[in-house]
Amino acid sequence: MEKVFITRNQGSRLIILFAGWGMDANPFLTLHKPGYDILLVFDYTSFTPARDCNSLAECAREYDEVVVIGWSFGVRIANDFLAMNGGEIQLTKAIAVNGTTTHIDDAAGIPQAIFRGTLQNLSDITLRKFRRRMFASADAFSQFMGHAPQRTLSSLTSELETFGTLAATTPSPRWSCAVTGGTDAIFPPAAQQTAWQGFPADVYADMPHFPDFQSLLDRYIIDKELVAERFSEARHTYRDNALIQHSVARRLWELTREHLPMPANGAKVLEIGVGQGVLTGLYHNSLPDAALTLWDIADIDTSTLPGNARFERCDAETAINNTTAKYNLIISASTIQWFNSPGGFIEKAAQALAPGGVLAIALYGPETYRELTRVTGNSLNYPTLGTLLSAAERASLLPVEAREETVEATFDSLKSLLRHIKLTGVNALERKQTVATSGKGNTSKAVAILRHYPTAPDGSATLTYHPVYLILKKQN
């Protein structure tokens, strides 16, 4: 098994991309994700699970956060890695793309006859045909061939033989989601859907076997440095403009205080995403003797915080792994939708709760900013209430409140709406210089918004929020 860093900026976050059969680094050299190193794994000819997975884990343990992406036959290899070492690294997300752990299977993988035929008849001609079938268009195929893997037929044959010796296996529970291309001509989409039953799954109707990997990185992995930057920029304007977020915080506290644990010696409270202290101000008067620990990924004005509060700037999604305290209340409003895995955070937060403790969260669901999504194609990968409840069940947390709603905010003009987004810091989906998931640059996206965003005859415009509330209790 070969591995090479595509980008290595000595960051604290790592993306491990398990490529499919026949690959090397050439087709992936332009991939990037700010704040993350990217490690490509390929050529599994000499794959020895214990040796190779342990060697990879040794590298991954140097990072505060690890995201795994498996593609095509690479999903089968990534599954071994997750099964053997997933608990030893700071894994926040694992995404399977156009592949299954039952990699050669008539019902849930590549049909056995097709696999045997590919192996037995491999030649320069059949390899070119195989590669052409990975793409939806001749132009995309031509671009790939301009950066094609430099592998010999002998090495490709040996690698394919190795895959033939690997037994099918059940998916590791550490997979976060599966992504299927509806036009995949290599791994049958129906087989992928069969293999991933019970897992969150996204199907993109027009996506071929070889996807736009940069778009996948942009859509599924949070640029946390950008999130911190945008919220830091908005720290002086957030409080006066985040009216929906204020309302969500108030509603969360209303639901939480009915179930608040009252320990004899004072409560320990952890707030995730303290921001400008909107939520803090709501619960502080009810818990005057509590020891408050406040986390945020961005700089904040600490002068407004209560005297009994301790602030720490950190990435809460990874910091929760290292906390040794046991909290009576962990509370968060309008924050964890910015995590790579909100469900995974719930499971980790459960371990930081004292017996009888409460985890109270408000975040946003898939209908949030639906108007912008329809125009630009951009959206956070918002979790559903069902996904969050499944995570709570895995963590043995009892839901005492679970509800969702949609709220429409109306602005007198589209300009006012876009200004609201900027002044609240929630415009952290992409950087100006990047290419977005739809393939449009920022300039064309701005034009698309101005031309196609739905407005009323009087020029007013509506923006939808989809708050989700969960109050979860840890059993004594």
Side-chain angles (χ1 to χ4, degrees):
M1 185 174 82
E2 301 292 334
K3 54 183 183 290
V4 62
F5 277 96
I6 301 298
T7 62
R8 193 172 194 179
N9 301 311
Q10 306 302 319
S12 62
R13 303 182 179 98
L14 175 68
I15 298 168
I16 306 176
L17 172 55
F18 290 82
W21 168 68
M23 293 294 122
D24 65 11
N26 283 340
F28 305 94
L29 292 176
T30 61
L31 292 181
H32 61 278
K33 188 69 181 181
Y36 294 81
D37 291 350
I38 301 177
L39 179 62
L40 182 74
V41 184
F42 61 96
D43 190 356
Y44 310 102
T45 301
S46 59
F47 180 63
T48 304
R51 180 197 66 197
D52 290 329
C53 291
N54 287 338
S55 173
L56 190 57
E58 184 176 347
C59 173
R61 280 193 288 269
E62 299 177 6
Y63 291 83
D64 294 335
E65 178 176 9
V66 178
V67 175
V68 167
I69 301 175
W71 168 60
S72 192
F73 270 2
V75 171
R76 173 62 184 80
I77 306 298
N79 196 69
D80 277 354
F81 175 72
L82 293 173
M84 293 179 184
N85 301 104
E88 298 181 14
I89 61 175
Q90 303 296 355
L91 181 74
T92 59
K93 199 163 199 172
I95 310 164
V97 182
N98 284 342
T100 70
T101 65
T102 46
H103 59 306
I104 305 168
D105 186 271
D106 289 343
I110 290 180
Q112 296 184 50
I114 292 178
F115 174 81
R116 290 194 299 268
T118 302
L119 177 59
Q120 293 168 3
N121 299 303
L122 191 62
S123 67
D124 288 332
I125 293 174
T126 59
L127 176 61
R128 184 177 178 85
K129 289 181 178 178
F130 176 89
R131 287 174 169 174
R132 175 63 182 90
R133 292 174 62 229
M134 293 195 300
F135 296 91
S137 69
D139 285 345
F141 171 61
S142 177
Q143 291 178 21
F144 169 81
M145 292 304 293
H147 305 278
Q150 300 301 302
R151 299 274 302 275
T152 66
L153 280 177
S154 175
S155 72
L156 298 183
T157 300
S158 297
E159 186 183 11
L160 211 54
E161 289 173 343
T162 297
F163 279 112
T165 66
L166 296 177
T169 185
T170 56
S172 164
R174 297 187 181 278
W175 288 107
S176 306
C177 64
V179 177
T180 297
T183 60
D184 191 333
I186 303 298
F187 252 98
Q192 294 183 52
Q193 293 175 47
T194 296
W196 293 108
Q197 290 181 13
F199 285 81
D202 293 331
V203 179
Y204 296 98
D206 298 329
M207 190 175 82
H209 184 67
F210 195 102
D212 181 340
F213 280 101
Q214 188 61 56
S215 291
L216 291 176
L217 297 187
D218 292 341
R219 179 172 181 81
Y220 284 92
I221 303 176
I222 299 295
D223 183 345
K224 294 184 178 181
E225 291 186 348
L226 182 60
V227 172
E229 177 184 316
R230 294 289 165 82
F231 279 104
S232 291
E233 291 171 352
R235 64 183 179 273
H236 300 303
T237 56
Y238 182 90
R239 183 179 287 272
D240 292 336
N241 291 275
L243 301 183
I244 295 295
Q245 289 86 345
H246 290 195
S247 175
V248 168
R250 287 193 296 270
R251 184 61 177 142
L252 175 64
W253 177 237
E254 289 172 0
L255 294 172
T256 302
R257 62 187 177 190
E258 300 177 18
H259 306 284
L260 197 64
M262 298 300 291
N265 298 320
K268 290 184 177 181
V269 178
L270 172 62
E271 183 180 347
I272 306 296
V274 59
Q276 303 310 305
V278 174
L279 178 60
T280 315
L282 294 172
Y283 68 72
H284 176 243
N285 290 336
S286 299
L287 299 168
D289 299 323
L292 308 184
T293 301
L294 310 177
W295 289 353
D296 203 286
I297 198 170
D299 289 322
I300 69 167
D301 180 4
T302 58
S303 66
T304 62
L305 299 179
N308 59 338
R310 180 177 63 86
F311 172 71
E312 180 180 352
R313 181 178 178 180
C314 64
D315 177 357
E317 187 171 18
T318 57
I320 197 70
N321 297 314
N322 303 318
T323 183
T324 57
K326 295 295 182 182
Y327 297 97
N328 305 105
L329 173 65
I330 300 177
I331 190 165
S332 177
S334 302
T335 297
I336 73 168
Q337 71 275 359
W338 293 106
F339 290 0
N340 277 320
S341 179
F345 174 78
I346 288 175
E347 295 182 58
K348 295 170 184 175
Q351 301 173 25
L353 283 174
V358 167
L359 173 60
I361 56 176
L363 69 162
Y364 298 96
E367 291 299 303
T368 301
Y369 287 12
R370 61 191 178 193
E371 299 88 351
L372 277 172
T373 300
R374 290 167 185 164
V375 173
T376 67
N378 260 23
S379 174
L380 277 181
N381 191 34
Y382 293 106
T384 65
L385 177 58
T387 298
L388 299 171
L389 287 171
S390 295
E393 182 179 5
R394 290 192 298 272
S396 299
L397 294 176
L398 176 66
V400 293
E401 295 281 356
R403 59 184 69 189
E404 58 188 328
E405 59 189 26
T406 55
V407 180
E408 293 185 346
T410 301
F411 300 84
D412 59 8
S413 67
L414 181 56
K415 181 179 179 180
S416 296
L417 183 152
L418 296 175
R419 186 170 183 270
H420 159 79
I421 291 174
K422 179 179 180 180
L423 294 179
T424 54
V426 298
N427 55 334
L429 285 181
E430 62 180 351
R431 296 173 182 268
K432 289 184 178 180
Q433 68 271 25
T434 63
V435 176
T437 56
S438 67
K440 303 174 183 177
N442 283 91
T443 300
S444 60
K445 278 209 169 134
V447 171
I449 293 171
L450 293 173
R451 288 180 177 175
H452 302 297
Y453 196 96
T455 56
D458 63 358
S460 62
T462 298
L463 187 64
T464 299
Y465 286 84
H466 177 191
V468 177
Y469 303 91
L470 269 180
I471 315 298
L472 307 169
K473 189 168 186 177
K474 187 170 185 176
Q475 303 300 300
N476 291 316

